[in-house]
Amino acid sequence: KGPPLRRGKWTPEEEAYANRLILEFKSGLLPLTDGTTLRTFLSKLLNCDPMRISKKFVGSNCIGKQVFRRRTADLNRLTPEQIQQSRAELSE
């Protein structure tokens, strides 16, 4: 069993990471299964309950029921270096 789920106030770093993940998710270029919801994706990577995601992103920031759709054509336009750079930035 992994570490306990994160709770409570968001750190600035956690918020910045979540916002970058949202951009990558919406771009459709991540190695995810089509139909993965943004809420589930964020809760797994941020190690928190999906409800914590819902509470954070309300109003104009609402992520609702956004689902992942791979954009193969866009992905094919990227060079391996561009893909590697994006993944490296996310892992920092």
Side-chain angles (χ1 to χ4, degrees), residues 4-49:
L5 295 178
R6 293 187 53 79
R7 303 172 59 102
K9 187 167 172 53
W10 287 61
T11 65
E13 296 82 8
E14 187 178 28
E15 196 166 340
Y17 185 55
N19 287 327
R20 175 62 191 268
L21 290 172
I22 291 168
L23 287 174
E24 296 291 331
F25 183 94
K26 289 180 177 180
S27 76
L29 305 178
L30 294 170
L32 296 174
T33 304
D34 279 1
T36 300
T37 66
L38 179 54
R39 180 177 176 225
T40 299
F41 170 67
L42 289 175
S43 70
K44 285 183 179 179
L45 284 178
L46 296 172
N47 190 39
C48 65
D49 190 278

